[in-house]
Amino acid sequence: HAAAGSATAPAAPPVAPDEGVFRDMAVRAQFALLPHCLDNVRVRVLQLLHDSLMRYSTPLGGVPIAVRDVALVPGRRHGRVVGTDPHVFVDVQLRATVFCAAPPQILPGRVNAVAPSYVGLLVHGYFNASIAAPELVGLEYDAADAAWRDASGGVVVRVGTLVRFRISTVHNADGVLSFEGRFVDAVGAVGS
């Protein structure tokens, strides 16, 4: 093990839920490094931060997708040893872009699966989402075309369509988020 885990917390409270799903946060974190990691503290801390990207973080209330401006906390130029713990504790500050989606926010998703019982989506090219048949309000399944469509045929949802959905449930499986939701509208046809 290069280092132990880290404790991470926003330096300020998270932004209100009516704001966008991507939030820029000032974060302070403490990393517990083993002595052999002290040859290049910056590289070790960046490795640990990289390992935490794209995984849900409870203290941040979302999924960190990028970090920048990583620096030692002012006034804390050196790590600390506490008692008989073999780790050296290093405090850092940074800016993080965090994906913080929660009900009842509306997200875009590209359809990647269509079935009589659901529509599967990929949100921002990374997160899985699904809309169950009862939540595809106003649409009916067309088995011949493998698509969901409204009665007029004006709205067609098939693989490749960009849709918007309202989040109803967020699932967290070992730090990987997925969503369930209710269809809002189709905003782009295949290839758009």
Side-chain angles (χ1 to χ4, degrees):
H1 247 322
S6 65
T8 308
V15 182
D18 60 340
E19 299 207 15
V21 295
F22 293 100
R23 300 188 187 146
D24 182 55
M25 295 182 180
V27 177
R28 287 192 177 207
Q30 183 177 80
F31 292 91
L33 304 178
L34 290 171
H36 74 272
C37 298
L38 299 177
D39 59 332
N40 193 333
V41 171
R42 180 173 174 74
V43 168
R44 299 300 184 189
V45 166
L46 289 172
Q47 286 172 338
L48 289 170
L49 286 169
H50 183 265
D51 291 346
S52 72
L53 294 178
M54 305 309 289
R55 312 280 300 171
Y56 183 80
S57 166
T58 299
L60 297 178
V63 177
I65 60 170
V67 295
R68 65 190 177 290
D69 303 332
V70 179
L72 291 176
V73 170
R76 300 275 177 120
R77 294 185 157 275
H78 306 285
R80 293 177 320 284
V81 175
V82 180
T84 59
D85 192 317
H87 296 95
V88 176
F89 295 91
V90 178
D91 297 322
V92 298
Q93 63 186 20
L94 57 109
R95 303 278 325 162
T97 301
V98 182
F99 178 75
C100 301
Q105 290 175 311
I106 295 175
L107 293 177
R110 183 74 63 183
V111 175
N112 63 2
V114 175
S117 59
Y118 77 100
V119 168
L121 308 168
L122 195 56
V123 176
H124 296 299
Y126 185 79
F127 302 97
N128 284 316
S130 63
I131 305 172
E135 301 300 324
L136 290 159
V137 179
L139 302 179
E140 294 182 14
Y141 185 69
D142 178 352
D145 194 23
W148 285 83
R149 58 179 77 241
D150 67 357
S152 72
V155 175
V156 179
V157 175
R158 61 171 48 102
V159 171
T161 304
L162 182 63
V163 302
R164 294 184 326 137
F165 70 100
R166 183 174 307 279
I167 301 170
S168 58
T169 306
V170 178
H171 299 281
N172 179 350
D174 295 323
V176 178
L177 296 187
S178 62
F179 305 95
E180 291 181 43
R182 182 177 182 92
F183 178 76
V184 173
D185 59 12
V187 293
V190 176
S192 62

